Amino acid sequence: MIESPQLNIALVQTKLYWKDKVANLAMLEEKMWEIDNGVDLIILPEMFPTGFSMDAVELAEPMNLNVCKWMRQMASQKNVTIAGSAIIQVDGKYYNRLLWVSPDGMIQHYDKRHLFRMADEDQFFSAGERLPIFELKGWKICPQVCYDLRFPVWSRNRMIDGELAYDLIFYVASWPAARVSAWDALLPARAIENLAYSIGVNRVAEDGNGIMYNGHSATYDFKGNSFEFLGEEEKISIITLDREALDSYREKFPAWMDSDNFSVQ
């Protein structure tokens, strides 16, 4: 594996067409071609092909159908890893599944653990049971989806073989404007407590249910300092994470050595 001292990431904060996969994939394809080469990872919002809908039966598709094929195609053509969640059906169950697609066509995934009961997501989707750690150019990366942000135990950066499990935690989201203050507070909190970079990518504009989203996609360093904030408009931003700065801070402030050992059931 090629290790890189820096990681270049594109955050795509965008509107979404309501329950229209064809329109969303075409729109996002145009946006991706605007992103310069040299980016390692492109992060899309939660349920980027459809918007955040509970119409799982209508909108779901199995793995390796249209959405997966499109992500594979774009990852290959742009030579970049792409991440974002979609509604996926497996063995009669429906998942809000974060797809992690590499340029070589390999697909890994994370199924949203915490389902947003206030929108009845838990009535239509099955919760994930496994938290994978993805690797990209020597960086270890923890995937999360929206409501997961409120549950820090699930994403705690624990020790594995004498090292912290991940260097970056990121959230793909459809986080409403009505509760954006919680989003703004919890993203830096996840960075501070886990001694890792934290990224949140949210959508903007009103959806088909009349819910308004106002973005606030952002990147925070391991101290909780914001070094990129996208505001409330459609925007693509490319940020660079620095490995040396992360390693240096962890060495100077090794709070991780005093962390509590526990397991999540």
Side-chain angles (χ1 to χ4, degrees), residues 73-92:
Q73 175 183 322
M74 293 305 303
S76 175
Q77 291 179 351
K78 292 289 293 180
N79 191 32
V80 67
T81 297
I82 302 173
S85 88
I87 303 173
I88 300 295
Q89 178 185 4
V90 180
D91 297 331

Side-chain angles (χ1 to χ4, degrees), residues 45-109:
E46 179 182 21
M47 289 193 188
F48 68 86
T50 60
F52 186 64
S53 172
M54 299 304 101
D55 294 327
V57 176
E58 173 190 350
L59 299 173
E61 60 181 59
M63 291 288 287
N64 301 316
L65 202 59
N66 297 326
V67 171
C68 289
K69 288 179 179 178
W70 176 82
M71 293 182 76
R72 276 184 167 140
Q73 175 183 322
M74 293 305 303
S76 175
Q77 291 179 351
K78 292 289 293 180
N79 191 32
V80 67
T81 297
I82 302 173
S85 88
I87 303 173
I88 300 295
Q89 178 185 4
V90 180
D91 297 331
K93 294 183 178 181
Y94 300 93
Y95 296 93
N96 185 346
R97 176 165 290 185
L98 186 148
L99 301 165
W100 175 274
V101 184
S102 305
D104 62 4
M106 180 179 178
I107 298 180
Q108 301 177 74
H109 71 269

Side-chain angles (χ1 to χ4, degrees), residues 182-198:
W183 169 265
D184 292 340
L186 294 176
L187 276 173
R190 296 296 86 84
I192 294 167
E193 69 195 9
N194 292 305
L195 290 171
Y197 290 101
S198 172

Side-chain angles (χ1 to χ4, degrees), residues 4-251:
S4 175
Q6 295 183 323
L7 202 63
N8 299 312
I9 303 175
L11 285 57
V12 181
Q13 178 169 284
T14 184
K15 301 175 183 177
L16 295 173
Y17 294 99
W18 185 239
K19 300 198 297 187
D20 191 336
K21 293 181 187 179
V22 173
N24 283 317
L25 298 188
M27 174 269 293
L28 289 167
E29 185 168 336
E30 287 188 14
K31 289 182 182 295
M32 286 188 188
W33 282 113
E34 296 174 2
I35 297 173
D36 293 336
N37 294 333
V39 168
D40 303 301
L41 172 63
I42 297 174
I43 304 178
L44 307 175
E46 179 182 21
M47 289 193 188
F48 68 86
T50 60
F52 186 64
S53 172
M54 299 304 101
D55 294 327
V57 176
E58 173 190 350
L59 299 173
E61 60 181 59
M63 291 288 287
N64 301 316
L65 202 59
N66 297 326
V67 171
C68 289
K69 288 179 179 178
W70 176 82
M71 293 182 76
R72 276 184 167 140
Q73 175 183 322
M74 293 305 303
S76 175
Q77 291 179 351
K78 292 289 293 180
N79 191 32
V80 67
T81 297
I82 302 173
S85 88
I87 303 173
I88 300 295
Q89 178 185 4
V90 180
D91 297 331
K93 294 183 178 181
Y94 300 93
Y95 296 93
N96 185 346
R97 176 165 290 185
L98 186 148
L99 301 165
W100 175 274
V101 184
S102 305
D104 62 4
M106 180 179 178
I107 298 180
Q108 301 177 74
H109 71 269
Y110 161 69
D111 293 327
K112 185 177 182 181
R113 169 75 166 189
H114 300 95
L115 302 175
F116 192 58
R117 69 176 59 251
M118 283 67 85
D120 291 332
E121 188 179 13
D122 58 318
Q123 300 299 311
F124 298 96
F125 292 84
S126 295
E129 298 179 351
R130 183 180 66 91
L131 179 58
I133 300 296
F134 303 140
E135 293 199 22
L136 180 60
K137 293 191 172 182
W139 291 71
K140 294 174 289 186
I141 301 173
C142 178
Q144 299 278 275
V145 179
C146 203
Y147 192 44
D148 287 331
L149 181 60
R150 290 182 179 269
F151 302 93
V153 173
W154 174 243
S155 61
R156 185 66 173 172
N157 202 358
R158 296 188 291 275
M159 295 292 293
I160 298 178
D161 297 328
E163 296 183 353
L164 287 171
Y166 61 81
D167 308 304
L168 162 66
I169 185 168
F170 75 96
Y171 295 82
V172 302
S174 292
W175 196 285
R179 293 183 293 278
V180 78
S181 61
W183 169 265
D184 292 340
L186 294 176
L187 276 173
R190 296 296 86 84
I192 294 167
E193 69 195 9
N194 292 305
L195 290 171
Y197 290 101
S198 172
I199 292 176
V201 176
N202 193 24
R203 61 161 294 177
V204 296
E206 187 175 349
D207 70 12
N209 287 326
I211 305 299
M212 182 61 69
Y213 303 88
N214 65 341
H216 284 219
S217 300
T219 302
Y220 296 90
D221 72 8
F222 33 83
K223 298 179 183 179
N225 298 318
S226 172
F227 61 92
E228 185 63 17
F229 180 76
L230 275 61
E232 300 187 358
E233 304 300 324
E234 280 194 289
K235 184 178 180 181
I236 297 175
S237 181
I238 298 174
I239 55 96
T240 299
L241 306 185
D242 185 86
R243 160 73 70 183
E244 183 179 356
L246 174 62
D247 290 344
S248 176
Y249 185 73
R250 285 176 169 177
E251 183 177 349

